[in-house]
Amino acid sequence: MPGHNGEHDYGYLELFFRYFKMENSYKKLLEGNERFVTEKLSVDPDFFTNLAKQQTPEFLWIGCSDSRVPANEITGTKPGEIFVHRNIANMVVHTDVNFLSVLQYALEVLKVKHIIVCGHYGCGGVLTAMSQASMGLVDTWLRNIKEVYAKHEEELLAIEDMKKRSDRLVELNVCEQVKNLAKTSFIQQAWKSRSVQIHGWVYGLDTGKIKDLEVKVQKPEDLDPVFRYDI
Ligand SMILES: [Zn+2]
């Protein structure tokens, strides 16, 4: 069917099929699940029955919601190994009841030994926070990153290359979230009786590699006194 003014015209039939394809794209997830079950059972017939008994993960992962940074896949771990919390730009916000519940459960019930805050270069949340763009509700969330930017503005403005500047803000944001984690009463409570290590990592979307920022906040004394609780 020709277009009215020479533009592309896919015709009603093709439009219908494109719409049909989009509407049904979710089905590949269910088909993928069937393959997953078959593959796991072929290696270990008890895989799911064992996994269903209990979870004993050693790690809590705080990562970005970005679809390209899946915790298990990029760390070569299996289901049952990592307890996961994800949000836009891997933030640790002290008024976030969702995150605090995950943290408390991970520390007090699962007794995780390591907590990893993992950011990633090219993070859309960080890039948007660096700009003056307004996106509605998400502005409130990204405001936390703007505070990190303001705190480190001198260092950031000295980096002329915008990609390098945003990469550095990604790293600084991870370091600040590690500190925010240490400022919670839950981690300080856990530190009273055992060792819980906090790690700050950044994942490279274009390399697949994780960089350890080697953030050194491992005990209450690493924080300003005002953030230490008398627990
Ligand atoms: Zn991100």
Side-chain angles (χ1 to χ4, degrees):
M1 188 186 289
H4 295 296
N5 44 18
E7 291 170 358
H8 290 296
D9 191 328
Y10 295 101
Y12 290 118
L13 199 60
E14 190 169 343
L15 274 176
F16 171 76
F17 280 117
R18 277 161 54 122
Y19 179 72
F20 182 79
K21 210 170 148 189
M22 262 164 41
E23 283 292 288
N24 289 285
S25 63
Y26 74 95
K27 285 189 176 166
K28 77 172 182 185
L29 306 188
L30 297 172
E31 288 157 11
N33 172 251
E34 281 177 26
R35 282 196 303 277
F36 164 73
V37 172
T38 309
E39 281 165 22
K40 290 292 174 197
L41 292 180
S42 69
V43 177
D44 176 7
D46 298 322
F47 181 83
F48 295 105
T49 44
N50 284 336
L51 204 57
K53 284 174 192 157
Q54 62 171 341
Q55 61 165 342
T56 52
E58 271 183 49
F59 314 100
L60 167 61
W61 177 275
I62 300 161
C64 183
S65 298
D66 194 302
S67 62
R68 298 165 294 180
V69 196
N72 281 122
E73 254 177 285
I74 65 169
T75 56
T77 48
K78 298 190 288 290
E81 290 192 76
I82 306 186
F83 197 58
V84 174
H85 178 81
R86 289 170 74 176
N87 60 44
I88 293 175
N90 41 272
M91 303 300 287
V92 172
V93 176
H94 73 282
T95 51
D96 178 0
V97 177
N98 179 0
F99 164 71
L100 292 173
S101 304
V102 169
L103 178 66
Q104 185 191 9
Y105 188 80
L107 287 168
E108 296 179 8
V109 180
L110 299 174
K111 310 271 187 207
V112 296
K113 298 187 179 95
H114 300 269
I115 304 179
I116 296 145
V117 177
C118 187
H120 66 100
Y121 297 119
C123 182
V126 171
L127 291 169
T128 306
M130 287 177 82
S131 75
Q132 288 169 328
S134 177
M135 318 255 306
L137 177 67
V138 76
D139 294 346
T140 309
W141 188 253
L142 298 182
R143 163 71 194 279
N144 296 296
I145 308 174
K146 287 182 184 285
E147 300 288 354
V148 177
Y149 182 97
K151 189 174 172 183
H152 299 276
E153 194 168 24
E154 204 177 296
E155 178 188 343
L156 291 165
L157 291 179
I159 305 169
E160 283 184 22
D161 183 275
M162 285 307 281
K163 185 181 177 304
K164 285 183 182 152
R165 189 186 291 179
S166 67
D167 283 354
R168 183 61 187 144
L169 182 55
V170 164
E171 293 175 354
L172 290 168
N173 186 47
V174 167
C175 295
E176 289 298 329
Q177 303 321 311
V178 164
K179 282 186 210 159
N180 285 346
L181 199 49
K183 290 172 189 171
T184 65
S185 60
F186 301 109
I187 191 101
Q188 292 185 27
Q189 180 76 48
W191 276 340
K192 278 276 170 195
S193 56
R194 64 193 181 91
S195 154
V196 181
Q197 288 184 35
I198 311 179
H199 309 271
W201 295 354
V202 180
Y203 176 74
L205 291 175
D206 55 353
T207 62
K209 289 190 177 164
I210 289 171
K211 177 179 173 185
D212 186 348
L213 299 177
E214 295 179 17
V215 185
K216 298 278 181 270
V217 186
Q218 305 296 351
K219 54 187 186 306
E221 291 70 32
D222 294 334
L223 292 168
D224 288 339
V226 75
F227 292 112
R228 292 180 215 157
Y229 291 103
D230 194 11
I231 295 169

